[in-house]
Amino acid sequence: MKQKIQSFGRFLSGMVMPNIGAFIAWGLITALFIATGWIPNEKLSTIVSPMLTYVLPTLIAYQGGKMVGGERGGVMGAIMTIGVICGTEYTMFMGAMIAGPLAGWLIKKFDKAVEGKIPAGFEMLVNNFSVGIFGLALAIIGFFLIGPFMGAVLAVLNAGVDVLVNHGLLPLVSIFVEPAKVLFLNNAINHGIFTPLGAEQVAEAGKSIFYMIETNPGAGTGVLVAYWLFSKDRVTKASAPGALVIHLLGGIHEIYFPYVLMNPILLLATIGGSVAAMFFNTILGLGLSGPASPGSVIAYVGMAPKGSTVLVLLSVVVAAVVSFLIAAPLIKLTNGKQSLEESQSQMKAMKAEAKGVAVDAADVKHIVFACDAGMGSSAMGATVLKKKLAAVGRDDIEVTHASVSEIPAGTQIVVTHKDLQERARKSAPQARLVLISNFMSAPEYDQLAQELSR
């Protein structure tokens, strides 16, 4: 069940994450040029609404269609989504998440049905007119069916959100968000759920508290500081400061997940910190102008609307302090029960755990570091592994990073977190898996480098 949820969440976030740059651009334009912005400009503020209404949903739909049906699927998704947008008064991010993949799937089925049956010389005619005709039909369906239907769904969701906000219950969402994050559902939650909901609020108020729920780095910061100060395990204590820098400044939250997973009672600390910060944000009416991605304190504060920069920074401090105060005594009480050195036992069993075709060290030319989204932690891990390989004379090996569900065909070795191993095996059944439990101090890096050394 967890694997299915992770896979579905990855698919949702996969439609949004490649377009995060566009969301940030829109958020910055909003923060700068609307009437309450840093430098109000009536003419430039007219960019905000078209980007929100048309550009961002269309980009999401194109990406969703492309993921399912390639370039033609992307075009189909964009066409259908314009119909969806025009069929309702609501911003159609969720409608785009439905229309894009649906249109991509339909054109993919059509292409498969006519494969090998098109007369020579008519391929371009069929390809172009199939997209045109299907696009026409799907745009109409989007206008009359999906748009109004999703509008009704969003009306219900917005009413529910209003109840949570008006009754001060929104902070309790963190009770579910924090455990889900450490199961590597952070990108799905943030980009698949909170980013679309936040865009609706920004359109109305110029800011959204939804952008502050999952992205606040304070809760993880408190746990890492507590490990740094109070852990009796040498490896854990030594690795915590580096993890803290990467988490707080780099915005790669996955770096602290293993510290919580090896001592799950620390979920109380992350939940407590996040809930406290959300109460702080709710009471003071705080919000961000756009998504803070990655969840770095720099990006978090950078998206603060005019006049609230200090308060937004304080929300990070509140989360960190509360998380630390809860985590510190828990770490003291449970010292000795958890250890990053336990991962060293995996080093000895690495070959036994590896599935797929055995590869001779001299023949290894490509290693993929895979994480949930294929961006943050995997990019960092790939950089670390490259340095390890270069140190043993194997700088000829190409080390890349990718989503665990989109590992390139022909990959020889895949390095990934142990919680993602089932998805990695499904994505690359032919590859050998090297499983790690901590991105910063994984002994498997050195083990693999030595094994592949000349």
Side-chain angles (χ1 to χ4, degrees), residues 1 75-76 78 90 92 119 146 169 200 230 233 284 336 353 424:
M1 179 60 71
V75 173
M76 285 283 290
Y90 289 92
M92 276 289 101
I146 296 181
L169 299 176
E200 291 281 351
F230 300 113
D233 176 66
L284 296 179
E353 290 182 358

Side-chain angles (χ1 to χ4, degrees), residues 32-101:
L32 291 172
F33 302 129
I34 63 173
T36 57
W38 290 91
I39 46 175
N41 188 299
E42 184 177 353
K43 290 185 177 179
L44 292 177
S45 67
T46 60
I47 301 174
V48 174
S49 181
M51 281 192 70
L52 176 65
T53 304
Y54 297 102
V55 176
L56 297 178
T58 303
L59 286 173
I60 289 174
Y62 178 85
Q63 182 65 25
K66 183 180 178 181
M67 289 168 64
V68 176
E71 295 288 346
R72 283 162 57 77
V75 173
M76 285 283 290
I79 295 171
M80 185 177 187
T81 296
I82 292 298
V84 174
I85 292 170
C86 295
T88 180
E89 60 182 10
Y90 289 92
T91 305
M92 276 289 101
F93 288 107
M94 291 188 177
M97 289 181 172
I98 294 175

Side-chain angles (χ1 to χ4, degrees), residues 139-199:
I140 294 173
I141 292 172
F143 184 90
F144 286 108
L145 294 180
I146 296 181
F149 173 75
M150 289 307 302
V153 170
L154 285 173
V156 174
L157 290 177
N158 286 339
V161 169
D162 288 340
V163 170
L164 292 176
V165 173
N166 294 334
H167 290 79
L169 299 176
L170 190 59
L172 300 182
V173 172
S174 297
I175 295 174
F176 305 99
V177 171
E178 289 302 318
K181 282 178 67 176
V182 299
L183 294 176
F184 292 90
L185 292 171
N186 52 315
N187 291 310
I189 293 169
N190 188 31
H191 302 306
I193 300 174
F194 292 147
T195 295
L197 290 176

